[in-house]
Amino acid sequence: MADDYYVQNNSNSDDSEVELNLSSPELKGYLSKWTNYIHGWQPRFIVLKDGTLSYYKSEQDSDFGCRGAISLQKATIKSHEFDECRFDVAIGQNVWYLRAETPEDKSNWIEVLQSYKTDLPETVSLRRHGSTISLQSNTLSTASGSSLKRVSRGLREKLHEIETFRDILYGQIDTLQRYFDALHTKNEDQPPLDLGDGLKPIDFRGEAITFRETTAGVIITLQHCLDIISQKEESFKKKLDKEQERRRKAEELYRTAKDELAKNRNSVIPGPDLEEGPHSTIPEDEFFDAVETGLDKIEEDRQLRVRLKYQSQQSQISNVSSLHSPSAETEDEIPQLAEDFGTGAQAKSHKLWPEIDRICTEQLTQARQGVGEDGNGWQLFADEGEMKMYRREEEVDGMVIDPLKSCHVVKGVTAREMCHYFFDPAYRNDWETTLEDVQIVDNVAPDTLVFLQTYKRIWPASQRDALFWSHMRRITDNLDAGANDVWIVCNHSNQNEEYPPANQGKCVRIYLTVILVCQTYLPPGKDSKTATRDDLTCKITYCSTVNPGGWAPATVLRAIYKKEYPKFLKRFTGYVVDQCKAKPIMY
C-alpha cells in the first residue's frame, strides 16, 4: 500500500481562488471502504486534493466522476479504538469507515489528513478535481435552500451598506465642494503660485466642477444598481420560497422513510461496528433477536411458496386428470425410481475417494453408538415425541463447534427415499430454506458430488458459504439387526484451489462433517414386495459437527441451534413424506 499513494506539494492555484498560506498536500491511493451491510468492505480509490477527500470505484474511473466527497475543513478524523488499520472520517451523521493495508499506512493517511485540516484557512475555496463534484458531496450547492437563505440575507445587508456609503459620500462631496469654493475665492486676486519643477497651480474651480460631476455620475450609477438589485430581490425570493418548499417535502419523505426503517429492524443499514466481526459492539441479545427475526422471515417465505406450489399443483391435476390414468403415471415413474445406485470405478479412482471412504466409515461407526456408549457426555436439549436431539458443548479458539446427534422415527418412507432427497441437489432448495445458491463444482460419480453452497445473509451475521463433498451409499455389513436396508449420506468439507475461502468482506467459510443414517424396518410377515407405505418405518440418525467460522457469540449460536435444528429435521422429514406418499416405494 505504501507504493500506492504519494504526497506532494501543490503550489498552483487559480487567480480567482484564495491562495493557501502553506503548500497544499495531495494524497491518493487505495483503501478499503465500508459500503453497506450487504457488500461490506470494498477497495476504493481515495483522493485528497484542495481540502476535499473524494473516492472512486477504481483509479481508472477517476475521470468519470467521484462517488462521494467530504470537505476536510469541518471533518472529524478518528483512529479506531481496536482495529489498528482502521480510521473514520466524519461530518455530522455522514461517516466514512476506511481501512488501510497496514498500521503504518493508516498513520500516514491520518497524519496528512490532520495536517491539511489544521493548515486549511477558513476562507479557502474548494476546487473540483478530475471530475464534477458528486451529488453525495457534503459541500453546499449555491442552489440549496440554506445557500439561498444566506444569499438573500447577505443581499439585503449589502443593499443597506451601499445606501449608508452613498449617504456618507454625499456628505463628503458637499464638504469637499465647500473647500474647493473657498480656495477658489481666496486665490482669485492672488498671483499664480510657483510650485517649481514645471508644476502649475491647480484650477480649483475647474477641478471642483469635475469632481462634482464625477461623483454625481458614481452616485447615479450606484442608484441604478440599487434599483436593479431591488427588482432581482423579488425573483430571488420566489426561488427561495420554491426551494424551501422542495426542501420541506424532501425532509417529510426522509422522516417517513426513517419511520419505516425503524419499524423494520432488518432494513437498517448499520456501520461495521454493528455487524458480526472482531470489534462488533452489538449486544448479544440484540444479535440473537435480529438473527431470529431473519430466520422467521425466511420460514414465512417458505411456507408461502409451499402454499402457492400446492395450489398450482392442484389446479394442474384437475386440468389433466381426464387425460392420464394413475396406472400409466405410476409405470412412467417406476424405472427412474428403481435405477441402480452404487459406487463404481469412476468414484474409486478419484483423488478424493480414500478420504471419502475413510470419513464415511468413521462417521457411520460413531452414528451407530448410543448417546451413552461413547462416554462423551451427550446432553438432551430437544425431546419431541419420536425425535430426540443431543449435543456436546465444545469450542475451538473460542468458536462453538458443538457436535449434534439426533434420533427420529418417520412412518411411510424408506431409508433410500430419505437419503435420495437429502443428497439430490434438485430438491435441496425445497427443504433447505437458508440456501441462496447451490453449485456443483465436481461430478465425481452419480453417488458422489462436490458442492459449493452459499447461504442467505441474515443481518447482523456475515454471509457464509460451504465447500464439501457429498456421498450416498447403501450399507451391506448386516450390523443393524432387523433392518430391511440401510442407506447413508455423508458430507464433509474439503479444499479446492479454484474455490478458496472468500476475502474479508465476502462470505465466511463454514467447515462441516454431517452424516444421515437411515434404516428401513418392516413388520413381521412383510417384505419389500408385499409391503405398502403404511408398513414402512424409517429410523433416522443425524450427526453433525459444524464450525460456523466468523465471530458470532457462543451464546447466540447455541440458542439458535436449540431452536433451529429440531425445526430443520421436522421440515426435511415432512417434506420427504409429502413427496413420496403418491409414488411407488423405492428401496
Side-chain angles (χ1 to χ4, degrees):
M1 189 68 190
D3 296 332
D4 291 336
Y5 67 82
Y6 61 89
V7 179
Q8 67 179 21
N9 289 334
N10 179 16
S11 58
N12 296 326
S13 63
D14 296 334
D15 293 338
S16 60
E17 295 179 327
V18 179
E19 293 283 353
L20 297 179
N21 292 333
L22 299 176
S23 58
S24 305
E26 182 179 280
L27 189 66
K28 62 175 67 175
Y30 280 94
L31 294 174
S32 293
K33 182 179 183 296
W34 179 262
T35 55
N36 53 53
Y37 79 105
I38 296 177
H39 300 292
W41 296 98
Q42 296 291 334
R44 292 292 182 259
F45 187 67
I46 311 295
V47 175
L48 167 64
K49 188 172 183 180
D50 298 320
T52 301
L53 192 67
S54 305
Y55 79 92
Y56 307 82
K57 187 174 182 180
S58 66
E59 186 174 3
Q60 291 72 26
D61 291 344
S62 59
D63 293 331
F64 302 104
C66 67
R67 295 194 165 200
I70 283 184
S71 171
L72 291 180
Q73 187 172 352
K74 297 183 179 180
T76 301
I77 302 160
K78 181 180 178 182
S79 178
H80 195 266
E81 183 177 1
F82 305 109
D83 191 340
E84 60 182 7
C85 293
R86 177 181 148 190
F87 62 98
D88 303 338
V89 181
I91 292 184
Q93 299 298 318
N94 186 19
V95 184
W96 287 12
Y97 306 102
L98 302 172
R99 292 190 85 255
E101 291 269 340
T102 65
E104 292 76 16
D105 289 343
K106 182 195 80 170
S107 299
N108 287 336
W109 275 93
I110 292 179
E111 182 180 354
V112 174
L113 295 180
Q114 291 283 19
S115 64
Y116 195 99
K117 181 177 182 298
T118 302
D119 295 337
L120 189 66
E122 292 186 359
T123 57
V124 71
S125 62
L126 300 179
R127 292 177 294 174
R128 305 183 190 188
H129 50 93
S131 66
T132 57
I133 291 297
S134 165
L135 292 176
Q136 301 177 37
S137 172
N138 289 280
T139 55
L140 284 171
S141 167
T142 56
S144 67
S146 59
S147 297
L148 282 175
K149 288 181 180 178
R150 290 198 303 271
V151 169
S152 180
R153 183 173 62 250
L155 182 60
R156 287 193 296 269
E157 291 175 355
K158 293 302 178 184
L159 284 173
H160 292 313
E161 288 180 9
I162 290 176
E163 290 174 352
T164 301
F165 288 135
R166 181 193 62 188
D167 295 338
I168 294 173
L169 187 57
Y170 272 130
Q172 292 175 341
I173 290 172
D174 289 339
T175 301
L176 288 174
Q177 188 63 52
R178 289 200 303 272
Y179 274 115
F180 287 151
D181 291 342
L183 289 172
H184 177 72
T185 302
K186 183 177 181 181
N187 292 315
E188 261 186 340
D189 301 326
Q190 299 293 330
L193 296 175
D194 185 9
L195 300 177
D197 293 333
L199 296 178
K200 296 180 179 180
I202 299 175
D203 181 359
F204 285 109
R205 183 69 177 174
E207 291 296 330
I209 294 173
T210 302
F211 180 76
R212 183 174 58 189
E213 294 299 327
T214 301
T215 52
V218 171
I219 292 173
I220 292 173
T221 303
L222 282 175
Q223 187 62 50
H224 182 62
C225 291
L226 289 174
D227 294 340
I228 294 175
I229 293 174
S230 297
Q231 295 173 5
K232 292 292 183 180
E233 185 178 10
E234 184 64 27
S235 174
F236 275 113
K237 187 176 184 303
K238 291 180 179 179
K239 289 182 180 180
L240 174 60
D241 293 340
K242 187 180 295 185
E243 185 66 24
Q244 287 176 333
E245 177 64 18
R246 185 187 305 170
R247 181 171 182 174
R248 185 190 65 77
K249 291 181 179 179
E251 289 176 347
E252 185 177 334
L253 287 175
Y254 170 75
R255 285 192 297 269
T256 302
K258 187 177 180 180
D259 293 340
E260 290 296 326
L261 289 175
K263 293 178 183 177
N264 185 359
R265 188 174 182 178
N266 287 329
S267 298
V268 177
I269 302 179
D273 291 331
L274 292 179
E275 301 283 330
E276 177 188 354
H279 311 300
S280 176
T281 60
I282 186 170
E284 290 187 2
D285 56 341
E286 294 185 18
F287 194 106
F288 172 74
D289 291 342
V291 172
E292 185 181 39
T293 301
L295 291 172
D296 290 344
K297 182 65 168 61
I298 290 176
E299 177 62 19
E300 291 175 5
D301 293 342
R302 184 195 71 84
Q303 294 177 1
L304 177 60
R305 290 198 306 271
V306 169
R307 289 197 298 269
L308 294 175
K309 185 177 181 180
Y310 176 77
Q311 293 172 1
S312 176
Q313 289 174 343
Q314 291 298 106
S315 176
Q316 292 175 4
I317 290 173
S318 63
N319 291 334
V320 301
S321 58
S322 60
L323 301 177
H324 298 282
S325 65
S327 60
E329 187 173 341
T330 301
E331 290 174 359
D332 290 340
E333 291 184 357
I334 289 175
Q336 180 183 0
L337 296 176
E339 178 187 8
D340 180 50
F341 197 88
T343 302
Q346 179 183 355
K348 293 181 179 180
S349 62
H350 196 276
K351 63 181 180 179
L352 287 175
W353 178 251
E355 177 184 276
I356 293 172
D357 193 48
R358 175 178 58 82
I359 296 294
C360 287
T361 302
E362 293 174 355
Q363 291 299 310
L364 178 60
T365 301
Q366 295 178 17
R368 280 171 166 166
Q369 294 177 344
V371 292
E373 296 177 13
D374 54 13
N376 286 326
W378 291 97
Q379 301 173 7
L380 179 68
F381 73 91
D383 187 353
E384 301 183 19
E386 297 288 354
M387 183 179 68
K388 293 177 172 56
M389 287 196 165
Y390 306 84
R391 75 178 179 203
R392 296 197 313 265
E393 292 193 357
E394 293 185 13
E395 294 186 14
V396 174
D397 297 329
M399 179 54 59
V400 173
I401 58 167
D402 295 354
L404 173 81
K405 177 175 283 190
S406 304
C407 301
H408 195 21
V409 177
V410 181
K411 301 287 187 179
V413 294
T414 66
R416 181 175 180 183
E417 289 170 336
M418 194 65 68
C419 290
H420 168 71
Y421 284 99
F422 189 79
F423 171 80
D424 196 328
Y427 307 103
R428 194 161 298 173
N429 275 310
D430 292 340
W431 55 266
E432 177 56 277
T433 60
T434 59
L435 283 184
E436 181 176 285
D437 182 62
V438 179
Q439 181 181 353
I440 299 175
V441 301
D442 194 353
N443 193 341
V444 179
D447 61 359
T448 309
L449 300 171
V450 179
F451 294 102
L452 176 61
Q453 290 189 169
T454 304
Y455 299 89
K456 295 176 182 176
R457 170 74 190 278
I458 302 175
W459 183 84
S462 300
Q463 189 171 26
R464 283 167 164 78
D465 64 8
L467 179 69
F468 61 92
W469 53 256
S470 183
H471 175 67
M472 177 176 171
R473 69 166 62 169
R474 183 172 186 172
I475 304 301
T476 57
D477 56 11
N478 298 320
L479 296 180
D480 301 276
N484 183 72
D485 60 358
V486 180
W487 287 80
I488 71 167
V489 176
C490 187
N491 301 337
H492 182 71
S493 292
N494 68 304
Q495 304 292 332
N496 189 315
E497 294 180 357
E498 296 182 7
Y499 302 93
N503 296 326
Q504 184 183 27
K506 304 292 184 180
C507 293
V508 174
R509 179 62 53 87
I510 294 175
Y511 296 93
L512 57 86
T513 301
V514 172
I515 187 167
L516 177 71
V517 182
C518 300
Q519 303 159 317
T520 305
Y521 289 90
L522 300 175
K526 293 287 186 177
D527 58 25
S528 58
K529 294 182 179 180
T530 59
T532 65
R533 288 216 172 267
D534 293 336
D535 300 321
L536 300 177
T537 299
C538 182
K539 180 181 177 183
I540 300 170
T541 303
Y542 177 84
C543 302
S544 71
T545 301
V546 178
N547 184 339
W551 301 270
T555 55
V556 172
L557 287 175
R558 290 192 170 110
I560 292 173
Y561 290 167
K562 183 176 181 179
K563 177 183 178 182
E564 294 300 321
Y565 266 122
K567 289 170 59 177
F568 153 73
L569 195 56
K570 287 193 292 185
R571 180 172 63 245
F572 168 67
T573 54
Y575 170 79
V576 176
V577 170
D578 185 62
Q579 291 294 310
C580 294
K581 61 186 178 183
K583 296 178 181 178
I585 300 173
M586 178 170 59
Y587 293 97

